């Protein structure tokens, strides 16, 4: 990698957006890259808007705070788009040309013709992933939705290896408690309580990563039929 990659993660409180950013940041650092992670949220309550920003580079990173012009946007819940539960509107505001969108949804959302036209003008790549469904089926808890989203990211971009994600997961849940906020720490404890051992938590969530990386599907905007999508595979 010879350039900086900026990622904006948008979701709802309780989905582990902050945790996902931390796991990704640690994973990239383990692979010798430089990363910064900045969470942003208002009231710490379930289903309130929450965002995290991750910057990844092979060299020093001077920027801090909010990512205004992301290369990648990850949408952890459809309500970020359909109900406007987002600090940034429209949800893809600032997306760089040829940027990537990864949306957690079992079906393509009914995006407006205007939004699809703008995404088409950006030559954006649009991916859908049933992250919550995979988390529930494989890890048997919606709390692994964020891990599924990381799996989708790995499947689309190969920014980090699955081995680095595994090591980061083990460090996050097997080491000293990570304190971004009281709510984040509590969610970590709830997730850990669903598994007999940390090794089981890591193994099951790595199954989520692998399943999600295979399940993510790309759609593109028909240039001659603005407002419609086609699946690439």
């Amino acid at each position: 990698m010879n350039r900086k990659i900026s990622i904006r993660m948008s979701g709802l409180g309780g989905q582990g957006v902050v945790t996902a950013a931390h796991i990704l940041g640690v994973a990239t650092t383990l692979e010798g890259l430089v990363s910064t992670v900045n969470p942003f949220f208002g009231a710490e309550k379930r289903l309130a808007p929450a965002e995290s920003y991750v910057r990844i580079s092979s060299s020093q990173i001077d920027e801090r705070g909010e990512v205004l012009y992301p290369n990648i946007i990850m949408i952890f819940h459809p309500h970020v788009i359909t109900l406007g539960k987002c600090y940034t509107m429209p949800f893809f505001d600032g997306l760089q040309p040829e940027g990537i969108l990864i949306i957690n949804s079992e079906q393509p959302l009914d995006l407006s013709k205007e939004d699809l036209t703008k995404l088409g003008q950006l030559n954006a790549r649009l991916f859908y992933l049933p992250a919550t469904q995979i988390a529930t089926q494989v890890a048997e808890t919606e709390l692994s939705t964020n891990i599924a989203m990381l799996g989708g990211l790995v499947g689309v971009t190969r920014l980090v290896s699955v081995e680095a994600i595994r090591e980061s997961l083990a460090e996050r849940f097997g080491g000293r408690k990570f304190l971004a906020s009281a709510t984040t720490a509590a969610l970590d404890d709830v997730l850990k309580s669903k598994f007999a051992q940390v090794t089981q938590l890591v193994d099951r969530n790595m199954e989520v990563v692998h399943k999600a990386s295979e399940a993510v599907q790309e759609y593109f905007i028909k240039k001659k039929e603005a407002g419609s999508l086609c699946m690439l595979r």
Side-chain angles (χ1 to χ4, degrees):
M1 181 187 301
N2 56 9
R3 64 189 181 95
K4 293 181 174 64
I5 299 293
S6 297
I7 303 171
R8 183 165 71 219
M9 300 180 178
S10 295
L12 306 182
Q15 285 197 292
V17 173
V18 175
T19 298
H22 178 251
I23 291 171
L24 177 61
V26 171
T28 57
T29 301
L30 291 171
E31 296 204 320
L33 298 171
V34 179
S35 69
T36 62
V37 177
N38 297 94
F40 180 79
F41 44 84
E44 287 194 65
K45 63 180 182 179
R46 185 167 177 78
L47 304 182
E51 290 189 350
S52 279
Y53 314 112
V54 183
R55 292 179 173 87
I56 302 170
S57 177
S58 58
S59 59
Q60 180 177 326
I61 299 174
D62 296 319
E63 300 94 337
R64 292 292 188 275
E66 182 181 1
V67 169
L68 297 176
Y69 304 104
N71 304 103
I72 301 170
I73 297 176
M74 302 172 68
I75 304 296
F76 283 56
H77 198 289
H79 286 177
V80 169
I81 298 172
T82 60
L83 297 183
K85 288 195 170 186
C86 183
Y87 291 112
T88 306
M89 294 298 291
F91 65 95
F92 57 86
D93 186 56
L95 182 66
Q96 293 291 291
E98 300 184 359
I100 292 172
L101 280 163
I102 303 175
I103 301 173
N104 171 22
S105 180
E106 295 180 25
Q107 300 293 333
L109 301 180
D110 187 20
L111 302 180
S112 70
K113 183 176 180 179
E114 181 182 2
D115 285 348
L116 289 172
T117 298
K118 290 180 179 178
L119 290 172
Q121 292 169 347
L122 289 170
N123 290 319
R125 298 181 67 192
L126 176 61
F127 296 83
Y128 282 97
L129 170 67
T132 301
Q133 182 185 73
I134 291 172
T136 303
Q137 292 177 347
V138 178
E140 300 181 354
T141 174
E142 288 189 6
L143 291 177
S144 291
T145 295
N146 57 347
I147 307 302
M149 290 297 289
L150 290 179
L153 179 67
V154 170
V156 171
T157 67
R158 309 297 179 191
L159 274 177
V160 294
S161 66
V162 292
E163 291 79 12
I165 294 292
R166 172 182 285 275
E167 190 173 348
S168 181
L169 269 171
E171 179 178 317
R172 171 68 184 240
F173 293 101
R176 186 174 59 183
K177 181 176 290 189
F178 174 78
L179 293 175
S181 69
T183 301
T184 300
L187 286 173
D188 280 6
D189 289 340
V190 172
L191 181 60
K192 289 171 70 173
S193 71
K194 294 183 179 295
F195 300 91
Q197 298 177 330
V198 171
T199 53
Q200 185 187 43
L201 181 155
V202 173
D203 289 344
R204 190 73 65 81
N205 279 280
M206 287 309 299
E207 291 180 31
V208 170
V209 169
H210 286 291
K211 180 71 173 179
S213 68
E214 296 171 354
V216 64
Q217 295 184 325
E218 184 172 4
Y219 289 71
F220 72 95
I221 303 166
K222 288 185 178 180
K223 299 296 184 181
K224 294 183 180 180
E225 298 178 31
S228 60
L229 296 175
C230 278
M231 187 171 70
L232 287 182
R233 54 169 160 147

